[in-house]
Amino acid sequence: EPLLPSRPHDGEDLARYAQRMEEIMKKTDELNMLEKHVRSEKQFNRKVELNKKLKAKHTEIKSLLN
């Protein structure tokens, strides 16, 4: 299993690659926290809002990986 979640893009320098990996790890931590909040939330309407945020965070991470 690779240590980093993605390979460098073509022409991407090391500094930009490191910055992108840092963003991915930060957003992954935020995603994990949101997932924990969704599991513990009792109110349906709040769960819906948290799930919207969760989906947006997945999209952000996916865009950084591609």
Side-chain angles (χ1 to χ4, degrees):
E1 184 177 320
L3 294 175
L4 298 173
S6 178
R7 300 180 141 239
H9 293 149
D10 291 336
E12 183 176 41
D13 66 351
L14 185 59
R16 175 64 189 129
Y17 176 64
Q19 181 183 13
R20 189 168 56 90
M21 290 301 104
E22 189 175 317
E23 284 181 56
I24 289 171
M25 290 191 284
K26 181 179 140 190
K27 290 188 185 299
T28 301
D29 289 343
E30 292 170 4
L31 181 97
N32 291 335
M33 190 179 301
L34 272 171
E35 287 175 340
K36 183 178 174 184
H37 279 57
V38 168
R39 285 192 304 271
S40 66
E41 183 58 55
K42 303 294 183 206
Q43 293 184 6
F44 177 76
N45 59 340
R46 293 208 32 172
K47 270 191 172 188
V48 170
E49 284 300 314
L50 289 171
N51 276 317
K52 285 181 186 177
K53 290 179 182 179
L54 196 61
K55 190 171 183 176
K57 199 61 71 177
H58 273 292
T59 304
E60 289 175 21
I61 292 171
K62 191 174 182 177
S63 71
L64 287 170
L65 289 172
N66 294 331

